[in-house]
Amino acid sequence: MKITFMGAGSTVFARNVYGDCLCIDSLRDCVFALYDIDAQRIEESRIILEAMKKAKNGKGTIECYVGVENRKAALKDADFVINAIQVGGYEPCTVIDFEIPKKYGLQQTIGDTLGIGGIMRALRTIPVMEDFARDMEEVCPDALFMNYTNPMSMLTGYIQRYTGVNTIGLCHSVQVCSNHLLEALGMEDKLEGRKELIAGINHMAWLLEIKDQYGNDLYPEIRSKVDAYINDPEKTDKVRMEYIKNFGYYCTESSEHNAEYNYFYIKSKYPHLIEKYNIPLDEYPRRCVNQIEEWKKEYREMLENGVKEHERSREYASGIIQSIVEDIPYKIGGNVLNKGHLISDFPEEACVEVPCLVDGQGIHPCYVGKLPVQCAAMNMTNINVQLLTIEAARTRKKEHIYQAAMLDPHTGSELDIDTIKKMVDELIDAHGDYLPKYI
């Protein structure tokens, strides 16, 4: 069996996925193919993964492929392909995505999922992922493509709509959503045996039901604690708690993410909201700088002291592979096309995050039905931007980029149309060859 990891310079993530596979008997002896365009980073990954394999007594092989000219060889005969690329990296592209909008008065926190940062990130990533897909159609047409790269809904939705590759989008937030909520509100005693239903879109999927092990609805107690949490100046998850207060439900991704997915919290006319909700502006660039430095330190320590014992993570990838290989049931929250109106409020072209069952026959998305109308309305403000960005990537028409930015809740609530167009034009010019040509 062959597992190919695209973007293997993401060493920490590659280590987690490979380490998870080493914890499973049926996967310990697989071929793990690493692909990246950065030779130094892929060599760092190889060294760490080889050390992990030795520590776990793995018998498989680790192969390395560097550069576009070796991409097909990395993918050839793969059974599973995991994608974790970042086109353009922190420098120059993430810096561009933050600094140019800031000139126009548009502030962001993460900029990887929605907003002008998410739009530009999608437009430079989709062509690369489409190249992956075309290669897969040729050299591993039956492989399952597991996408971890953001913006999840835009990238996954494009590949699912416009290629023949069997694709699932995977995130980290569904697994920890209710756990984080109950711990934040001091309800740890309700964690064991809890039951939940989560559905919506990536980074804004709703915790629609949360019950204790006896079937009692936990939302009344949760809602009774929200005001105290929001009024505590030390707390940081306030935007999601405000969602409970104003929309009735908690959502999957963090408050720093959700602060920029709507009209409400990052507003130049209301600067006090930044402090009130503890919103960390420019958070993602800070994380990038810190992660780069932390990885250098961690890499040196691993070379000196060896790899640490790996405990299986909460990432879905190894569980999906194990489920398919061993034909054992497994449940995930996956990003899939809304075919058959899994969520009846949304168009079929939307990429939705819903419960999915996995077994030896593959991945089976579950029907959810209607969402609470206010939750569906919030999701649709994001879906509109996602669909227009996909349209721009497909048609290569600049007007669709303008429209996506104009309809983005945060961008449209802060800037006028002419300013939005000027900002988009400057971003396109600044990204240069990282973007295809738009007309």
Side-chain angles (χ1 to χ4, degrees):
M1 183 176 62
K2 181 176 178 180
I3 302 170
T4 298
F5 196 104
M6 310 298 283
S10 304
T11 306
V12 174
F13 187 47
R15 179 187 65 191
N16 285 342
V17 171
Y18 185 59
D20 290 350
C21 291
L22 288 172
C23 294
I24 302 167
D25 287 342
S26 61
L27 309 183
R28 291 173 68 245
D29 299 337
C30 68
V31 175
F32 203 72
L34 308 179
Y35 171 80
D36 207 284
I37 59 172
D38 187 322
Q40 178 181 341
R41 290 297 301 272
I42 204 171
E43 176 62 11
E44 291 176 357
S45 294
R46 185 195 67 78
I47 291 170
I48 299 305
L49 269 57
E50 288 284 5
M52 292 182 70
K53 185 181 76 169
K54 182 178 180 181
K56 286 283 190 180
N57 295 314
K59 298 295 190 291
T61 59
I62 297 171
E63 302 174 348
C64 293
Y65 301 86
V66 180
V68 174
E69 65 276 14
N70 293 306
R71 189 174 64 211
K72 280 187 182 179
L75 290 166
K76 184 173 175 55
D77 298 326
D79 299 286
F80 301 93
V81 179
I82 298 167
N83 182 60
I85 62 172
Q86 184 180 0
V87 177
Y90 165 62
E91 290 182 318
C93 287
T94 295
V95 172
I96 291 170
D97 284 346
F98 274 78
E99 292 305 313
I100 289 177
K102 203 180 298 182
K103 286 172 48 181
Y104 291 87
L106 190 64
Q107 296 180 299
Q108 300 171 90
T109 53
I110 306 294
D112 74 346
T113 296
L114 206 73
I116 193 62
I119 292 168
M120 301 310 296
R121 191 180 180 103
L123 294 176
R124 63 178 180 265
T125 307
I126 284 173
V128 177
M129 286 180 55
E130 187 166 26
D131 286 343
F132 292 177
R134 299 309 173 202
D135 285 351
M136 289 179 64
E137 289 171 340
E138 180 179 342
V139 301
C140 58
D142 298 324
L144 174 63
F145 186 62
M146 291 180 272
N147 177 48
Y148 274 97
T149 296
N150 285 323
M152 176 61 62
S153 297
M154 299 181 196
L155 303 183
T156 304
Y158 186 97
I159 298 300
Q160 288 166 335
R161 288 172 63 185
Y162 294 117
T163 79
V165 172
N166 183 19
T167 303
I168 186 73
L170 303 174
C171 190
H172 326 277
S173 55
V174 173
Q175 301 95 307
V176 299
C177 174
S178 63
N179 187 86
H180 190 285
L181 173 61
L182 295 178
E183 288 183 346
L185 296 178
M187 297 173 62
E188 293 90 345
D189 60 315
K190 304 297 195 302
L191 286 169
E192 186 175 353
R194 71 191 184 281
K195 301 174 180 66
E196 62 190 35
L197 172 63
I198 295 175
I201 59 173
N202 179 243
H203 284 190
M204 196 192 280
W206 303 98
L207 181 62
L208 298 170
E209 296 179 6
I210 175 72
K211 298 178 180 180
D212 67 16
Q213 60 184 320
Y214 307 109
N216 300 307
D217 184 5
L218 293 178
Y219 257 126
E221 183 177 355
I222 288 168
R223 292 177 180 125
S224 73
K225 295 175 178 288
V226 164
D227 280 340
Y229 185 100
I230 292 171
N231 292 328
D232 186 335
E234 302 300 318
K235 301 298 186 183
T236 59
D237 195 27
K238 295 187 178 185
V239 169
R240 287 198 290 178
M241 295 300 179
E242 278 273 332
Y243 278 8
I244 297 175
K245 183 176 179 179
N246 293 307
F247 296 97
Y249 299 89
Y250 194 65
C251 81
T252 47
E253 191 48 84
S254 64
S255 285
E256 61 264 25
H257 274 275
N258 271 273
E260 63 183 5
Y261 298 165
N262 52 63
Y263 321 89
F264 312 124
Y265 301 106
I266 306 174
K267 302 181 75 66
S268 56
K269 290 182 67 174
Y270 303 92
H272 68 280
L273 297 176
I274 303 302
E275 182 177 355
K276 178 180 178 180
Y277 293 105
N278 282 337
I279 296 171
L281 298 174
D282 294 328
E283 173 67 11
Y284 188 64
R286 276 194 301 275
R287 286 184 189 177
C288 290
V289 171
N290 291 337
Q291 286 169 352
I292 291 168
E293 293 306 311
E294 287 170 4
W295 167 244
K296 291 178 181 177
K297 179 182 177 183
E298 186 177 358
Y299 183 64
R300 288 194 302 267
E301 290 176 350
M302 283 189 286
L303 291 179
E304 294 172 4
N305 305 317
V307 296
K308 298 177 182 178
E309 179 66 24
H310 179 81
E311 295 184 6
R312 193 170 176 183
S313 75
R314 294 179 175 178
E315 300 294 350
Y316 283 136
S318 67
I320 292 171
I321 298 171
Q322 180 184 16
S323 175
I324 292 173
V325 169
E326 299 182 19
D327 192 16
I328 56 175
Y330 183 54
K331 181 182 176 183
I332 66 169
N335 290 271
V336 298
L337 279 188
N338 194 36
K339 288 183 178 179
H341 293 285
L342 300 168
I343 298 180
S344 55
D345 311 82
F346 303 154
E348 289 195 310
E349 296 82 7
C351 183
V352 296
E353 195 165 71
V354 295
C356 300
L357 301 179
V358 189
D359 60 20
Q361 298 302 309
I363 297 172
H364 314 283
C366 298
Y367 176 80
V368 174
K370 288 186 69 66
L371 299 184
V373 64
Q374 71 277 15
C375 296
M378 281 282 282
N379 284 160
M380 277 305 305
T381 66
N382 286 222
I383 290 171
N384 293 333
V385 180
Q386 294 161 4
L387 294 180
L388 277 164
T389 303
I390 289 173
E391 193 72 8
R394 186 65 176 169
T395 64
R396 303 285 170 86
K397 291 184 178 180
K398 195 182 295 186
E399 64 186 273
H400 294 313
I401 308 178
Y402 294 151
Q403 291 161 356
M406 287 155 51
L407 289 174
D408 174 68
H410 176 44
T411 305
S413 67
E414 287 284 271
L415 306 180
D416 66 90
I417 290 176
D418 289 341
T419 302
I420 290 171
K421 290 182 177 181
K422 287 174 59 178
M423 179 181 67
V424 167
D425 288 342
E426 186 172 346
L427 282 162
I428 291 172
D429 290 342
H431 280 299
D433 290 340
Y434 285 104
L435 291 177
K437 301 302 179 186
Y438 283 85
I439 58 174

